[in-house]
Amino acid sequence: MTRTVLLTDYAWPDDKVEREVIERAGFTLVSGPAKPAPAAEIDALAAQHHPDAILTCWAEVSAAAIAASPALKIVARLGVGLDNIDVDAATERGIWVTNVPDYCVAEVSDHAVGFAIAWARGLIHFDREVRSGRWDPASANLRRLSELTCGIAGFGRIGRATAAKMQALGCRVLAYDPHTSNAPDNIELVDFETLLASSDIVVIHAPLTPSTHHLINPDAISKMRRGSLLINVSRGGVVDTAAVIEGLASGILSGVGFDVLEDEPRVPPELIAHPGAMITPHVAFSSDASLIELRRRAAEEVVRVLSGGMPEQPRNNPRR
Ligand code: NAD
């Protein structure tokens, strides 16, 4: 009997990449709606198709959906975070949960570096000026990147990639990470206060956890260099938006580069109005290449497990 893979939802125009990988292995792909359906509908899809594997992007894979799938071997997330999957319920039933933790390291670090270059060279600022009819090169207040210090909070996969790129641009690079003691020779690991006080550009690459919530708060901003740039391409909750708005008003911050916001998709009007604010709608992960890699690798995890192998990126340790 053919094995069935349920794709609960997908955040791209079609299911072509997933279908190709799954069908090439001889399995059947059943796709739910592209837009994530409510949990009850996903439960019903599971009850209808009794999938051997579930691939999910944003839709909730509940304990009920897992219980309704007696042959289920794996729930594979098309992404990194696992908050839409009942991992404990999967583990209890001996089902693997996997993700693709590193598909967008290059993209997110490029995004951070892009904000840094745009700020130093006034790319977004002057583009806005020119479009509104102003041509005023004498107003330029630009920087030489190779004379600046860049401090990176969170020295994991993405933080390390950003560090290497900022070094290639000639910056002095500092890093703060309470869980890391190893860094390449030319990168200085420092404490958080030193990082804030010594950096012209502060980049947040730390994950959102109870201990990093509002890591950037009024106290942290008061320790930053006057006129500095704050970049957040991690999660909105790491930065206290109200404190940032104050920091921009006081001139401690001359700009921000935010791909994520605490209350996204709501953008505070104070940020919209500030000429130094650069904001993108949580797209740092995205590129044609990263999305294809994500989709292919998530589907390959399913094929590996349904073919009797071990997943490459297990996020649980199911009792077998
Ligand atoms: P990672 O796990 O490899 O690295 C995170 C690092 O942060 C770790 O080294 C960890 O020790 C460190 N850390 C933990 N607590 C800290 C703290 N209090 N202060 C400083 N550092 C701390 O993760 P990664 O792959 O580098 O991703 C980093 C974050 O980027 C993710 O957690 C995710 O939220 C975010 N992200 C955003 C996008 C996007 O599209 N904007 C895409 C992918 C990832």
Side-chain angles (χ1 to χ4, degrees):
M1 206 175 76
T2 178
R3 308 275 193 101
T4 300
V5 180
L6 171 63
L7 173 64
T8 59
D9 62 304
Y10 44 100
W12 25 85
D14 57 49
D15 62 8
K16 228 169 112 187
V17 175
E18 297 81 353
R19 185 169 295 282
E20 197 181 302
V21 174
I22 299 298
E23 290 184 349
R24 200 189 322 120
F27 307 132
T28 301
L29 184 80
V30 176
S31 293
K35 201 168 156 226
E41 282 180 41
I42 303 301
D43 299 352
L45 279 173
Q48 181 188 348
H49 297 287
H50 291 158
D52 299 87
I54 296 179
L55 265 168
T56 185
C57 191
W58 298 112
E60 188 178 338
V61 179
S62 68
I66 290 168
S69 314
L72 193 62
K73 299 274 183 306
I74 174 172
V75 179
R77 169 84 217 283
L78 288 145
V80 185
L82 298 173
D83 37 296
N84 59 325
I85 299 170
D86 194 326
V87 179
D88 289 342
T91 308
E92 278 298 306
R93 289 174 177 269
I95 294 159
W96 290 107
V97 175
T98 60
N99 67 353
V100 188
D102 51 357
Y103 73 98
C104 61
V105 170
E107 283 76 9
V108 181
S109 63
D110 283 353
H111 214 82
V113 173
F115 278 138
I117 295 174
W119 171 77
R121 303 307 312 145
L123 301 181
I124 289 178
H125 168 73
F126 276 115
D127 179 69
R128 288 174 185 159
E129 289 277 295
V130 169
R131 283 169 198 273
S132 44
R134 285 186 290 276
W135 189 274
D136 185 11
S139 69
N141 180 18
L142 305 180
R143 328 275 173 121
R144 178 181 281 180
L145 264 175
S146 60
E147 291 182 0
L148 301 181
T149 298
C150 175
I152 297 173
F155 203 50
R157 283 179 289 256
I158 300 173
R160 286 168 191 267
T162 297
K165 292 170 190 175
M166 294 306 288
Q167 279 190 318
L169 292 167
C171 289
R172 174 185 174 218
V173 177
L174 311 178
Y176 163 68
D177 191 319
H179 309 292
T180 297
S181 53
N182 75 312
D185 278 351
N186 39 9
I187 291 175
E188 302 162 54
L189 280 178
V190 295
D191 61 39
F192 191 44
E193 300 213 344
T194 306
L195 181 122
L196 295 171
S198 314
S199 301
D200 303 286
I201 301 168
V202 171
V203 188
I204 306 297
H205 282 310
L208 177 60
T209 65
S211 69
T212 61
H213 179 255
H214 285 190
L215 180 69
I216 299 293
N217 54 24
D219 181 53
I221 290 179
S222 72
K223 293 177 175 136
M224 291 177 72
R225 281 193 174 175
R226 195 160 183 82
S228 55
L229 170 70
L230 175 66
I231 295 172
N232 185 12
V233 287
S234 179
R235 285 290 180 269
V238 181
V239 172
D240 176 349
T241 316
V244 162
I245 290 167
E246 283 283 307
L248 285 165
S250 72
I252 294 182
L253 296 173
S254 66
V256 293
F258 285 170
D259 183 54
V260 286
L261 288 170
E262 257 189 299
D263 203 13
E264 63 189 52
R266 202 188 76 82
V267 186
E270 296 90 337
L271 289 185
I272 302 256
H274 197 284
M278 304 176 282
I279 303 166
T280 52
H282 204 146
V283 289
F285 66 91
S286 181
S287 77
D288 47 2
S290 68
L291 292 184
I292 286 173
E293 180 177 336
L294 169 69
R295 298 166 64 186
R296 179 183 53 74
R297 288 176 57 192
E300 284 171 356
E301 283 285 53
V302 165
V303 169
R304 220 171 271 125
V305 169
L306 293 191
S307 308
M310 290 282 287
E312 275 185 1
Q313 296 289 347
R315 294 286 81 90
N316 67 343
N317 190 7
R319 284 192 236 130
R320 306 243 111 210

